[in-house]
Each structure stands twice: as C-alpha cells, then as structure tokens.
C-alpha cells in the first residue's frame, strides 16, 4: 500500500462509487483515509442529526453531491409533529460560507425554507441538481429563485412535497439563456402555471429527458410539448382529459407515435379512460408505469392498457385493479421486478381492494419480482407460503393489511407462518414491513432467518418483550427499526444497549417503554441521542419514571444532542 | 337475567350499541383514544402478557372502534392521501350516475353523464354499450327510422325523448335512461 503514489490510489478509488465501499476504504489506514476524503465527491447522510455541517465540510473539501435525510420514516404517516426538526437551513448556511462547490443536493423529509433555497441558488455557481422528496416548508417563490439563479441547472425534481403554491410565475423565471435542463418534475405543485412559458422552456431544452407535469397542464399543451420533445424518456402527464373524437386528441396520438424513447410513464392525475388508446404505441417499450394517482382508470380500460405493457419492470397501481386485474398483470408482465398496489380508499368499507388471491397470481406469473408494497383487504398463511416459494428473490417486502390485526382470513390463525416462510425463503431480504395478527413467533422466525435484514417496520404485533429481543439479537445487519403499538417494554429496550450503536435509528411509539427505561438507556449510551416526543395535545407530562413514553426516537450521533429541538421534544 | 317486577328501565332504554352489550363494554372500548386497538393500558400488567393476545382476539369479535381514528394507519404518505381523498369526493359529488335500461336486455347498466360532453358522445356510448344503432335526431321527427329510441325520465317523472333540451339541462334533470323499442315510442314524437 505504501508503494503506490497517492495519484494512483486516487485513480483506483475513482472506481469505487458505493458509499459503503468508500466508507470501508477510508478505514483501512491513515493514508487511505486521507486520500479517500480528498477524492470523495458524493456523500450520503441518512440522518441529518448524526453529523454536523462543519464536520462534513472539514472532512470532505471536494464535496459536490450531498444527500440528506431528516425526519424519521413514520413522519410520513403523521406520527411526528411538523416542527420536530430536519431543517435544511444550517446546512446551506455552512456550505455557502465554505469553499465547497456544491453541484447536487438531494433531500428527503427535510424542512426547507424559501430563504434556504434562495441562498442555495446564489451560493454555488455550478449548481446542477436539486431533488426534494417529501419535504415541506417552502413555496413556489423558493423554486423561482432556483430557476432564476442556477445558470447551469440540469435537474429540478420535486417529488410529493407539500408546497405552498403562489401560482405560477416560477416557470417564467428560467432565463432565456437556460438551455441545460435534463429533468423537470413539478407534478406535486397544485397551482396554475404559465403554459406558454412551459412550452418555450421545453423548446429551448434539447437535452430534456424527464418531464413530469402537474394537474394544471391540459392535454393540448401536452401534445404541443411532445411534438417539440420527442426525445423524452420519462413522462408524467398532467391532466389527461379530452374528447377522444377531437382534433387535439388525434394530434396527441401522432405525437405519441413519434416518442420512441419513452420508457417511464406517470401522472394521469385526472384521466378520461377513453383517451388511453393514444398511449398504446409507447406501452410496448415501457419499463415503469405509475398509475397510482389515477383512480378514474379501472376495469377494462385499465386491463387493456396493461396488456400492451409486456416489458414492464416496475408497476405502481391502485387496488381498484382488483385480483382479476392483477391476474392480467401476472400473465402480461413477465419482466416485473417491482409492484406497488396502493389503496384507492384508505378508510373504505373494503369495496374495491385486492386480496391474497391477487398476490398469489402475481407471484406465479412474475417470478422476477423482488420488491413489493401491497395494501390489501386480507391475507392468508397459505398464500404467503406460496408467494415465498414462487418468489425467493425479494429484497423489499411490505405487506399492509388494511385492518392491522386481521388474522388469516381462512383459518383465523396469526400470520406468523406466512411471514416466516417469506423470511426463510428470501435470503436477500433487506426490508420488511409486517401487518395482520402476529405473535412473538413471527419475530422468532425473523431473528432466525432474516440475516440480511436492514429495515423492519412493525405495528400492532407481538405478545411480549421476547418478540423485540428475537429481532435485536438475530438480525445482525439491522439498521432501522420502527415499532408502533406493540407490547415491547424496558426489558427488551435495555437488554443490549450496544446494539443501537450499530444501527441508524430506533423508533418506538405507543409501546410499553417508560421514561425510566429511556433515561437508563440515555445514561448508558452517551453516543446515542434519545428523544422523547410529546404530542402537543397531550395532558401534562408527568416526570414520573414509571410513565409510559408515547413516542421515543433514538439514533446514533457523533455530535451530541441537537440544538434545534422544539419544546415538545425532550432529549434525555 | 331476571327482570324485576318494577319498571325495567334498562330493558327499554335507548342506547348506542349492539343488543346484548352492556354500558360498561361500550364505554371501555371508547375510552382510550390513543390506542384504538387494542387497549393495552388495561391489559399489560408486568409479566402477564398472555392477556394482550386474548384481549386482541376479543377485540376481533366486537368490531373495533372506528379504524379511521388510528393515527397514521393505514401507512400511506399524507401527500398521497390528500391527493386521493378530495378527488374521490369531488368525483362522487360531480358524477351523475343514472341507470340505463334497454327493452329486452337481461340487466341494467349505469353510466356517469358527467363523462360525456354532449348528446353525440352519449348516444355513441349507449350504442356501444347495448349494441344498437340509433337514427339521426331531428327536432321535428325525433329519431326517425330507428329500431330503438333513447328516452329518459326527468325530475317530474315524465318520460322524455333524449335530445330535445340543451345538454346541461338534460344532465341536471335526467333521473334514468331507457332505450325503448321504436314501436313503443310512438307518441313521443317519433314517426316510425
């Protein structure tokens, strides 16, 4: 190792792109650590509170691309109060003051302000790519600043953010000189946009490959855009409603015929089922289809569409497709790797919906399936055992039975055996979400077989501390554990406190852990931050150690307790 | 349960709940608003955890209190929930579903009048659905020469010929559609 000049090592490290590998490389010896840190351009921070902006900047002066995640996953389901944290601002301010030439910023579940966006847009000359996923706190004014000031912007990707829409001039803020756009996704914006400005922007962006429109973009604008950008690879339609006998629709049909590169299709935020035939020509080459925001598309029109999509690898759909519709998917989409079936009626009386039958059909027809998110009315052990046998390649398996403690629909038994079969068969399983009636037994199986498991989500399951202990003792690669409404208490929490240093985070809400238990943990493990989150409408929180803790979130950190915690968060 | 000789107010009391359930039961299940299913505060005394499973199974038999109250369940991103929910109510409020019957057909169909922009589209859809052809409409002669004639029942309960009134007026007043055999349609302004 000492015989190679640094430049050679640096060149070798250039080929190492995965974060995990880069992290390992930096641990080999001091000189490797040094070379690695100067050559590192991309950094991923899974918990923004595990490290500080200053330490990041100090270690990686060559930083170009930063990924930051803020709130815990359960924040997606309203379990974390809005101002809990995850603020972008300190990061941007620190980066702006430094000599870092930031080019790419990817954020998930962070609170982003317009001020931060404006500072970002003005501080980094070469800034190229902004990706915001499930963020909040900003308005279209912040987006306008990015559009106006980032002269070499290639990517502006807004996914499922809560954005205050001040109606539309942000698109006009892209200067005439901006011709570098490759990817533009504003599907989550609710307001009107300047259609003329959009068309002109598309015309002067010859490299545009990915375009996802919002609901305010009507079908005739879509047609005009496609005529000017037939090279597009990833398309999200806006409103897809028109009279199928109109001239505009005919023009759209020819526009689609010219778009030979489209491989990914989404949108249909409003849809006229009888207009779907225009899409058939591009269906043959589609690898990703997302219809999960189109409840207006179901029945025959939906299945007819699916039957054209023989090369599909990823499908996101609503449960109004039904078990029969899933059968059509199973017989058509032999290349399918990822399937997500979302509920069209989350609180429904169980009208539409899919059952275990649909899943079994899929598993029989789509043997390459490795990633599943399935919201269903009911499940059986027999079905899960069949699925496990048919599809041993699952990496992600998330099953959500809408009634969270429903047993096997046929035998009325817990679903332990079914999930047990999944973890036993799928040796590469990295992510698992459970639901239905479950006892400690399922956790015994998970601890025994799920050797590669990195993330586990548990709700309304288990009988005793043993359940949680099986998991903590068995799953050596566990990084994220999130638990709600389970009878796990202090005994389980405190048995192996060192374990949490090997994990990114642990979430426990509505369980049996007490304030005293959390305090003990915090005392024993100074490298962890143990947060108690009190909901604002809760009665006076007593300081009695025997009090059960409603929400606890703990994570390992190199920088001690965060300073920006709001009143309702108590860091022990 | 022995009825007492005096006024048995219990037996005749109006109360929410399934017959056979007592006051205590209903109030217990309504009490904890934090954990709708099951109520763990009651059940888990240290060490005695077998009750929890039993309690959960018990809850299975008596329908658990409104699932919609469980915060964060089902686990769907709020963004997605917000996108679908209003859309659904929008669609339900705006959709005008009417039954369509055709003389001789074994069962009825239902269509959403909102989907169509005018009469030509509606008639084409009906033709497709029931496999028939309707002739050209004229104000004077109705659907001259058709074997079948589209009619509708309006708000007043009268059977009208489809096509006479402006489209908006039609969608607002149409309660159901009936595709009549031409022979029966005499008297509705058709010359067959």
């Amino acid at each position: 190792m000492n015989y190679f000049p640094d430049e050679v090592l640096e060149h070798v490290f250039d080929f190492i792109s995965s974060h995990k590998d880069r992290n390992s490389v930096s641990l080999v010896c001091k000189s490797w650590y040094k070379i690695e840190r100067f050559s590192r351009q991309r950094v991923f921070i899974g918990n923004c509170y595990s490290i500080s902006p200053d330490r990041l900047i100090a270690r990686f002066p060559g930083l170009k691309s930063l990924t930051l995640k803020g709130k815990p996953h359960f924040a997606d389901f309203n379990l974390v109060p809005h101002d809990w944290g995850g603020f972008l601002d300190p990061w941007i301010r620190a980066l702006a003051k430094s000599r870092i030439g930031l080019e790419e910023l990817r954020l998930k579940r962070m609170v982003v302000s317009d001020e931060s966006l404006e500072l970002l847009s003005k501080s980094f000359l070469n800034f190229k790519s902004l990706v915001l996923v499930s963020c909040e706190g900003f308005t279209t004014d912040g987006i306008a600043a990015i559009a106006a000031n980032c002269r070499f912007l290639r990517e502006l990707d807004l996914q499922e953010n809560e954005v205050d829409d001040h109606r539309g001039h942000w698109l006009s803020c892209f200067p005439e000189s901006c011709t570098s756009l490759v990817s533009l996704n504003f599907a989550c914006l609710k307001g009107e946009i300047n259609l003329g400005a959009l068309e002109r922007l598309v015309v002067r962006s010859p490299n545009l490959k990915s375009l996802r429109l919002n609901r305010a973009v009507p079908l005739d604008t879509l047609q005009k855009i496609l005529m000017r950008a037939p090279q597009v690879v990833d398309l999200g339609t806006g409103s897809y409603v028109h009279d199928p006998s109109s001239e505009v629709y005919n023009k759209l049909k020819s526009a689609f015929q010219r778009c030979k590169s489209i491989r990914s299709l989404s949108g249909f935020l409003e849809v006229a089922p009888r207009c779907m035939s225009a899409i058939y020509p591009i269906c043959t080459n589609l690898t990703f289809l997302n219809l999960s925001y189109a409840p207006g598309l179901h029945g025959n029109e939906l299945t007819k569409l699916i039957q054209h999509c023989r090369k599909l690898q990823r499908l996101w759909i609503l449960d109004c497709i039904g078990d029969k519709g899933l059968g059509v998917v199973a017989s058509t989409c032999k290349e399918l790797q990822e399937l997500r079936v979302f509920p069209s009626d989350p609180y429904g009386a169980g009208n539409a919906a899919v059952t275990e039958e649909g899943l079994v059909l899929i598993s029989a027809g789509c043997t390459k399936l490795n990633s599943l998110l399935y919201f269903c009315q009911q499940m059986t052990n027999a079905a899960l055992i069949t699925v496990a046998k048919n599809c041993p390649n699952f990496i992600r398996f998330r099953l959500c039975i809408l009634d969270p403690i429903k047993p096997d629909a046929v035998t009325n038994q817990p679903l332990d055996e079914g999930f047990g079969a999944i973890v036993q068969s799928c040796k590469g399983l990295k992510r698992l979400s459970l639901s239905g009636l479950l006892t400690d037994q399922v956790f015994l199986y998970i601890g025994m077989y799920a050797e590669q498991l990195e993330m586990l989500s548990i709700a309304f399951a288990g009988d005793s501390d043993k359940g949680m202990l099986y998991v903590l003792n068995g799953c050596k690669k566990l990084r994220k554990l999130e638990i709600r409404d389970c009878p796990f208490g202090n005994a389980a929490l405190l048995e192996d406190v060192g374990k949490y240093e090997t994990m990114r985070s642990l979430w426990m809400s509505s369980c049996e852990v007490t304030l005293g238990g959390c305090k003990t943990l915090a005392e024993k493990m100074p490298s962890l931050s143990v947060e108690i989150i009190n909901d604002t409408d809760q009665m006076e929180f007593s300081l009695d150690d025997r009090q059960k803790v409603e929400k606890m979130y703990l994570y390992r950190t190199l920088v001690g307790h965060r300073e920006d915690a709001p009143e309702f968060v108590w860091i022990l | 349960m022995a009825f007492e000789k005096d006024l048995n107010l219990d037996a005749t009391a109006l109360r929410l709940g399934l017959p056979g359930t007592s006051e205590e039961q209903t109030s217990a299940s309504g009490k904890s608003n934090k954990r709708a299913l099951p109520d763990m505060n009651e059940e888990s005394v240290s060490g005695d955890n077998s009750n929890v499973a039993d309690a959960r199974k018990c809850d299975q038999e008596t329908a658990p209190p409104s699932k919609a109250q469980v915060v964060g369940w089902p686990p769907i991103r709020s963004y997605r929930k917000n996108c679908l929910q209003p859309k659904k109510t929008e669609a339900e409020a705006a959709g005008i579903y009417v039954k369509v019957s055709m003389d001789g057909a074994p069962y009825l169909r239902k269509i959403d009048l909102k989907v169509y922009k005018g009469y030509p589209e509606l008639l084409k859809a009906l033709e497709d659905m029931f496999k028939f052809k309707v002739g050209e409409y004229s104000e004077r002669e109705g659907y001259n020469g058709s074997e079948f004639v589209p009619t509708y029942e309006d708000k007043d309960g009268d059977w009208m010929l489809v096509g006479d009134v402006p489209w908006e007026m039609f969608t607002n007043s149409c309660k159901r559609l009936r595709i009549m055999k031409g022979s029966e349609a005499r008297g509705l302004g058709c010359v067959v």
Side-chain angles (χ1 to χ4, degrees), chain A residues 122-183:
Chain A
K122 292 183 172 158
S123 308
F124 307 104
L125 283 178
N126 264 331
F127 193 75
K128 296 197 171 73
S129 166
L130 180 65
V131 180
L132 302 178
V133 181
S134 290
C135 296
E136 55 172 351
F138 61 104
T139 77
T140 43
D141 292 347
I143 302 300
I146 298 285
N149 303 324
C150 300
R151 293 170 55 206
F152 305 111
L153 195 68
R154 289 205 201 138
E155 180 175 22
L156 178 60
D157 185 356
L158 308 173
Q159 295 177 35
E160 302 192 342
N161 302 290
E162 302 286 356
V163 184
D164 215 349
D165 199 322
H166 291 170
R167 281 145 238 221
H169 75 287
W170 65 273
L171 251 181
S172 318
C173 291
F174 282 105
E176 289 302 312
S177 55
C178 174
T179 57
S180 47
L181 267 186
V182 174
S183 165

Side-chain angles (χ1 to χ4, degrees), chain A residues 76-79 108 134 160-162 187-188 190 215 243-244 269 274 292-293 295 316 318 342-347 375 400-405 407 435 437-438 459-460 462-464 484-487 510-512 548 550, chain B residues 34-38 40-42 44-45 48-50 52-54 56-57 59-60 64 67-88 90 92 97 115-117 121 124-125 128:
Chain A
D76 281 352
F77 318 133
N78 291 338
L79 288 174
K108 189 167 187 180
S134 290
E160 302 192 342
N161 302 290
E162 302 286 356
C188 66
K190 305 258 191 309
R215 221 166 164 182
D243 180 353
L269 309 167
R274 288 160 73 225
S292 63
Y293 286 103
W316 293 21
L318 288 171
F342 295 95
S344 48
D345 187 4
Y347 306 118
F375 285 85
C400 178
I401 304 170
L402 290 169
D403 177 350
I405 49 173
S435 61
L437 184 65
L438 296 163
F460 304 101
D463 308 312
S464 73
R484 62 163 296 180
D485 294 273
C486 296
S510 304
C511 296
E512 301 297 307
K548 275 191 218 157
E550 193 54 41
Chain B
K34 279 189 284 182
R35 298 169 205 182
L37 4 93
M40 293 184 211
N41 280 325
E42 273 20 8
S44 24
V45 176
D48 188 5
N49 287 304
S50 57
V52 185
D54 293 339
R56 209 174 289 126
K57 287 187 191 125
D59 270 335
Q60 281 298 107
K67 292 165 219 163
Q69 281 173 15
V70 180
V71 174
W73 194 270
I76 312 171
R77 278 192 188 161
S78 352
Y79 173 85
R80 185 175 283 280
K81 260 190 214 163
N82 294 338
C83 278
L84 288 179
Q85 288 291 82
K87 203 181 289 205
K88 193 156 208 292
E90 235 178 77
E92 277 173 345
Y97 281 87
V115 164
Y116 308 105
K117 296 214 159 49
E121 242 193 323
K124 177 93 183 22
D128 287 345

